[in-house]
Amino acid sequence: NSGWTALSNQTWCTVTPTGSGNGTINANYTENAELIPRVASITVTVTGLTPIVVTITQEASAPFLNASPANQDVTYPAGTTNFTINSNTSWIALSDAGWCVVAPSGIGSGTIFANYAENTIAVSRVAHITISSSGINPTIVTVTQQGPAAILSVMPMVQNVTYQAGMTTFAVT
C-alpha cells in the first residue's frame, strides 16, 4: 500500500489531504456566488509515480436582485430615504416621478438613496422606483409622500364698513 497526498489549487475547494492504498478523496466546496463558473484542480501524488490531476467545475450562480422595504412612507418636507439592495449583479434604478431622484446604478448589494422634493399639494403622492438588471425580472419599490395638512385662512378677520352700499374684500388662503 502506497501513501498518497491530495492538494487543491483553490481555497474554495478543500480535499482529504492524505490516504493510503485504495480510498476516497472528499472534496468540499463553498457556494459559488459569482456569475461565472469556476474550476479547481486536485493533484494526487504517490512517490515515484506520475501525479494525476482531476478537476471540479462548479456552475455559476444565478443572478438575483431584490430590494427592501417595498415602500417608504415619508413626510411632506423635502428629504432622503433609502432602500437596501441585495444582489450579485449590476443594476439600474429609475424613478417615474420628477420629484423623486435616485442613484442611477450599482453593482452587487448596497443602498439606493431616494431624494424627494417638498410636496406642496394637499394630497399624498407615490414615486415608483424600478430596479432592473439584464436577465432578471425588475424589482419595484415605492416612496409614498404625504401632503401637507390643508389649511384655510381668511384675512382680515373683521372688516368695518360704512352704512353706505359698497364693497370690501377678504383674502382667502
Side-chain angles (χ1 to χ4, degrees), residues 1 15 18 32 38 50-51 53 61 63 77-78 82 109 112 144 148 162 165 170:
N1 282 339
V15 295
T18 60
N32 184 1
R38 59 188 183 180
T50 302
V53 177
S61 177
N82 61 63
S109 296
I112 292 176
T144 302
T162 65
F170 294 88

PDB file of all heavy atoms in Angstrom, residues 1 15 18 32 38 50-51 53 61 63 77-78 82 109 112 144 148 162 165 170:
ATOM      1  N   ASN A   1       0.840  -1.199   0.000  1.00  0.00           N
ATOM      2  CA  ASN A   1       0.000   0.000   0.000  1.00  0.00           C
ATOM      3  C   ASN A   1       0.867   1.238   0.000  1.00  0.00           C
ATOM      4  O   ASN A   1       1.666   1.437   0.911  1.00  0.00           O
ATOM      5  CB  ASN A   1      -0.902   0.034   1.222  1.00  0.00           C
ATOM      6  CG  ASN A   1      -2.103  -0.880   1.087  1.00  0.00           C
ATOM      7  OD1 ASN A   1      -2.499  -1.246  -0.020  1.00  0.00           O
ATOM      8  ND2 ASN A   1      -2.695  -1.226   2.208  1.00  0.00           N
ATOM      9  N   VAL A  15      -9.748  19.382   0.219  1.00  0.00           N
ATOM     10  CA  VAL A  15      -9.784  17.940  -0.028  1.00  0.00           C
ATOM     11  C   VAL A  15      -9.165  17.178   1.134  1.00  0.00           C
ATOM     12  O   VAL A  15      -8.425  17.735   1.947  1.00  0.00           O
ATOM     13  CB  VAL A  15      -9.039  17.587  -1.338  1.00  0.00           C
ATOM     14  CG1 VAL A  15      -9.733  18.182  -2.548  1.00  0.00           C
ATOM     15  CG2 VAL A  15      -7.584  18.018  -1.279  1.00  0.00           C
ATOM     16  N   THR A  18      -4.531  13.298   2.793  1.00  0.00           N
ATOM     17  CA  THR A  18      -3.685  12.110   2.644  1.00  0.00           C
ATOM     18  C   THR A  18      -4.516  10.845   2.760  1.00  0.00           C
ATOM     19  O   THR A  18      -5.632  10.852   3.282  1.00  0.00           O
ATOM     20  CB  THR A  18      -2.581  12.056   3.732  1.00  0.00           C
ATOM     21  OG1 THR A  18      -3.205  12.028   5.014  1.00  0.00           O
ATOM     22  CG2 THR A  18      -1.624  13.223   3.623  1.00  0.00           C
ATOM     23  N   ASN A  32     -20.757  29.058  -4.883  1.00  0.00           N
ATOM     24  CA  ASN A  32     -20.233  29.985  -5.889  1.00  0.00           C
ATOM     25  C   ASN A  32     -21.249  31.116  -6.057  1.00  0.00           C
ATOM     26  O   ASN A  32     -22.290  30.937  -6.670  1.00  0.00           O
ATOM     27  CB  ASN A  32     -20.004  29.286  -7.230  1.00  0.00           C
ATOM     28  CG  ASN A  32     -19.367  30.193  -8.247  1.00  0.00           C
ATOM     29  OD1 ASN A  32     -19.061  31.352  -7.968  1.00  0.00           O
ATOM     30  ND2 ASN A  32     -19.165  29.683  -9.448  1.00  0.00           N
ATOM     31  N   ARG A  38     -16.429  28.226 -12.017  1.00  0.00           N
ATOM     32  CA  ARG A  38     -15.045  28.200 -11.561  1.00  0.00           C
ATOM     33  C   ARG A  38     -14.549  26.758 -11.516  1.00  0.00           C
ATOM     34  O   ARG A  38     -15.345  25.823 -11.428  1.00  0.00           O
ATOM     35  CB  ARG A  38     -14.907  28.895 -10.206  1.00  0.00           C
ATOM     36  CG  ARG A  38     -15.719  28.312  -9.088  1.00  0.00           C
ATOM     37  CD  ARG A  38     -15.646  29.190  -7.850  1.00  0.00           C
ATOM     38  NE  ARG A  38     -16.385  28.603  -6.731  1.00  0.00           N
ATOM     39  CZ  ARG A  38     -16.481  29.167  -5.547  1.00  0.00           C
ATOM     40  NH1 ARG A  38     -15.887  30.329  -5.323  1.00  0.00           N
ATOM     41  NH2 ARG A  38     -17.150  28.572  -4.576  1.00  0.00           N
ATOM     42  N   THR A  50       3.732   9.220 -11.617  1.00  0.00           N
ATOM     43  CA  THR A  50       3.323  10.491 -12.220  1.00  0.00           C
ATOM     44  C   THR A  50       2.059  10.983 -11.520  1.00  0.00           C
ATOM     45  O   THR A  50       1.102  10.216 -11.373  1.00  0.00           O
ATOM     46  CB  THR A  50       3.043  10.301 -13.728  1.00  0.00           C
ATOM     47  OG1 THR A  50       4.215   9.790 -14.349  1.00  0.00           O
ATOM     48  CG2 THR A  50       2.639  11.614 -14.384  1.00  0.00           C
ATOM     49  N   PRO A  51       2.038  12.243 -11.075  1.00  0.00           N
ATOM     50  CA  PRO A  51       0.833  12.781 -10.417  1.00  0.00           C
ATOM     51  C   PRO A  51      -0.369  12.755 -11.361  1.00  0.00           C
ATOM     52  O   PRO A  51      -0.225  12.836 -12.579  1.00  0.00           O
ATOM     53  CB  PRO A  51       1.208  14.228 -10.079  1.00  0.00           C
ATOM     54  CG  PRO A  51       2.695  14.272 -10.130  1.00  0.00           C
ATOM     55  CD  PRO A  51       3.106  13.234 -11.135  1.00  0.00           C
ATOM     56  N   VAL A  53      -4.093  14.646 -12.076  1.00  0.00           N
ATOM     57  CA  VAL A  53      -4.858  15.857 -11.780  1.00  0.00           C
ATOM     58  C   VAL A  53      -6.305  15.620 -12.195  1.00  0.00           C
ATOM     59  O   VAL A  53      -6.568  15.217 -13.335  1.00  0.00           O
ATOM     60  CB  VAL A  53      -4.285  17.092 -12.513  1.00  0.00           C
ATOM     61  CG1 VAL A  53      -5.134  18.321 -12.243  1.00  0.00           C
ATOM     62  CG2 VAL A  53      -2.836  17.331 -12.118  1.00  0.00           C
ATOM     63  N   SER A  61     -23.437  30.992 -10.294  1.00  0.00           N
ATOM     64  CA  SER A  61     -24.647  31.321  -9.549  1.00  0.00           C
ATOM     65  C   SER A  61     -25.635  32.018 -10.479  1.00  0.00           C
ATOM     66  O   SER A  61     -25.246  32.729 -11.402  1.00  0.00           O
ATOM     67  CB  SER A  61     -24.288  32.248  -8.388  1.00  0.00           C
ATOM     68  OG  SER A  61     -25.438  32.644  -7.682  1.00  0.00           O
ATOM     69  N   PRO A  63     -28.152  34.951 -11.360  1.00  0.00           N
ATOM     70  CA  PRO A  63     -28.233  36.337 -10.889  1.00  0.00           C
ATOM     71  C   PRO A  63     -29.493  36.549 -10.047  1.00  0.00           C
ATOM     72  O   PRO A  63     -30.532  35.956 -10.315  1.00  0.00           O
ATOM     73  CB  PRO A  63     -28.272  37.163 -12.177  1.00  0.00           C
ATOM     74  CG  PRO A  63     -28.732  36.222 -13.231  1.00  0.00           C
ATOM     75  CD  PRO A  63     -28.322  34.852 -12.802  1.00  0.00           C
ATOM     76  N   PRO A  77     -42.137  67.506   3.873  1.00  0.00           N
ATOM     77  CA  PRO A  77     -40.941  68.296   3.561  1.00  0.00           C
ATOM     78  C   PRO A  77     -39.944  67.483   2.725  1.00  0.00           C
ATOM     79  O   PRO A  77     -39.965  66.251   2.746  1.00  0.00           O
ATOM     80  CB  PRO A  77     -40.345  68.614   4.935  1.00  0.00           C
ATOM     81  CG  PRO A  77     -41.464  68.430   5.907  1.00  0.00           C
ATOM     82  CD  PRO A  77     -42.322  67.344   5.324  1.00  0.00           C
ATOM     83  N   ALA A  78     -39.066  68.171   2.014  1.00  0.00           N
ATOM     84  CA  ALA A  78     -38.039  67.505   1.215  1.00  0.00           C
ATOM     85  C   ALA A  78     -37.131  66.690   2.125  1.00  0.00           C
ATOM     86  O   ALA A  78     -36.949  67.008   3.298  1.00  0.00           O
ATOM     87  CB  ALA A  78     -37.228  68.537   0.444  1.00  0.00           C
ATOM     88  N   ASN A  82     -34.002  55.639   1.999  1.00  0.00           N
ATOM     89  CA  ASN A  82     -33.182  54.663   1.292  1.00  0.00           C
ATOM     90  C   ASN A  82     -33.818  53.287   1.267  1.00  0.00           C
ATOM     91  O   ASN A  82     -34.726  52.983   2.034  1.00  0.00           O
ATOM     92  CB  ASN A  82     -31.767  54.611   1.882  1.00  0.00           C
ATOM     93  CG  ASN A  82     -31.764  54.208   3.325  1.00  0.00           C
ATOM     94  OD1 ASN A  82     -32.166  53.117   3.670  1.00  0.00           O
ATOM     95  ND2 ASN A  82     -31.301  55.092   4.190  1.00  0.00           N
ATOM     96  N   SER A 109     -24.701  44.102  -3.816  1.00  0.00           N
ATOM     97  CA  SER A 109     -25.548  44.609  -2.743  1.00  0.00           C
ATOM     98  C   SER A 109     -25.143  46.018  -2.359  1.00  0.00           C
ATOM     99  O   SER A 109     -23.982  46.398  -2.500  1.00  0.00           O
ATOM    100  CB  SER A 109     -25.459  43.681  -1.532  1.00  0.00           C
ATOM    101  OG  SER A 109     -25.972  42.400  -1.866  1.00  0.00           O
ATOM    102  N   ILE A 112     -29.811  52.210  -2.144  1.00  0.00           N
ATOM    103  CA  ILE A 112     -30.303  53.251  -3.054  1.00  0.00           C
ATOM    104  C   ILE A 112     -30.803  54.389  -2.180  1.00  0.00           C
ATOM    105  O   ILE A 112     -31.607  54.173  -1.275  1.00  0.00           O
ATOM    106  CB  ILE A 112     -31.472  52.761  -3.923  1.00  0.00           C
ATOM    107  CG1 ILE A 112     -31.006  51.722  -4.917  1.00  0.00           C
ATOM    108  CG2 ILE A 112     -32.129  53.922  -4.656  1.00  0.00           C
ATOM    109  CD1 ILE A 112     -32.149  51.136  -5.731  1.00  0.00           C
ATOM    110  N   THR A 144     -43.894  56.804  -0.792  1.00  0.00           N
ATOM    111  CA  THR A 144     -45.206  57.429  -0.636  1.00  0.00           C
ATOM    112  C   THR A 144     -45.020  58.659   0.243  1.00  0.00           C
ATOM    113  O   THR A 144     -44.639  58.547   1.406  1.00  0.00           O
ATOM    114  CB  THR A 144     -46.217  56.466   0.003  1.00  0.00           C
ATOM    115  OG1 THR A 144     -46.310  55.297  -0.824  1.00  0.00           O
ATOM    116  CG2 THR A 144     -47.584  57.112   0.130  1.00  0.00           C
ATOM    117  N   PRO A 148     -48.993  68.136   2.671  1.00  0.00           N
ATOM    118  CA  PRO A 148     -49.095  68.970   3.871  1.00  0.00           C
ATOM    119  C   PRO A 148     -50.547  69.040   4.320  1.00  0.00           C
ATOM    120  O   PRO A 148     -51.468  68.832   3.528  1.00  0.00           O
ATOM    121  CB  PRO A 148     -48.575  70.329   3.410  1.00  0.00           C
ATOM    122  CG  PRO A 148     -48.800  70.337   1.934  1.00  0.00           C
ATOM    123  CD  PRO A 148     -48.679  68.911   1.475  1.00  0.00           C
ATOM    124  N   THR A 162     -68.812 101.381   6.213  1.00  0.00           N
ATOM    125  CA  THR A 162     -69.763 102.475   6.472  1.00  0.00           C
ATOM    126  C   THR A 162     -71.178 102.014   6.205  1.00  0.00           C
ATOM    127  O   THR A 162     -71.393 100.934   5.627  1.00  0.00           O
ATOM    128  CB  THR A 162     -69.445 103.686   5.574  1.00  0.00           C
ATOM    129  OG1 THR A 162     -69.661 103.326   4.230  1.00  0.00           O
ATOM    130  CG2 THR A 162     -68.014 104.166   5.781  1.00  0.00           C
ATOM    131  N   ALA A 165     -73.841 101.696   0.775  1.00  0.00           N
ATOM    132  CA  ALA A 165     -73.578 100.500  -0.034  1.00  0.00           C
ATOM    133  C   ALA A 165     -72.137 100.573  -0.575  1.00  0.00           C
ATOM    134  O   ALA A 165     -71.600 101.648  -0.806  1.00  0.00           O
ATOM    135  CB  ALA A 165     -74.571 100.418  -1.173  1.00  0.00           C
ATOM    136  N   PHE A 170     -61.927  90.163   1.228  1.00  0.00           N
ATOM    137  CA  PHE A 170     -61.245  89.287   2.170  1.00  0.00           C
ATOM    138  C   PHE A 170     -60.306  88.396   1.348  1.00  0.00           C
ATOM    139  O   PHE A 170     -60.695  87.888   0.299  1.00  0.00           O
ATOM    140  CB  PHE A 170     -62.256  88.398   2.914  1.00  0.00           C
ATOM    141  CG  PHE A 170     -63.175  89.164   3.826  1.00  0.00           C
ATOM    142  CD1 PHE A 170     -64.377  89.692   3.342  1.00  0.00           C
ATOM    143  CD2 PHE A 170     -62.868  89.369   5.159  1.00  0.00           C
ATOM    144  CE1 PHE A 170     -65.228  90.399   4.179  1.00  0.00           C
ATOM    145  CE2 PHE A 170     -63.726  90.060   5.998  1.00  0.00           C
ATOM    146  CZ  PHE A 170     -64.909  90.584   5.516  1.00  0.00           C
TER     147      PHE A 170
END
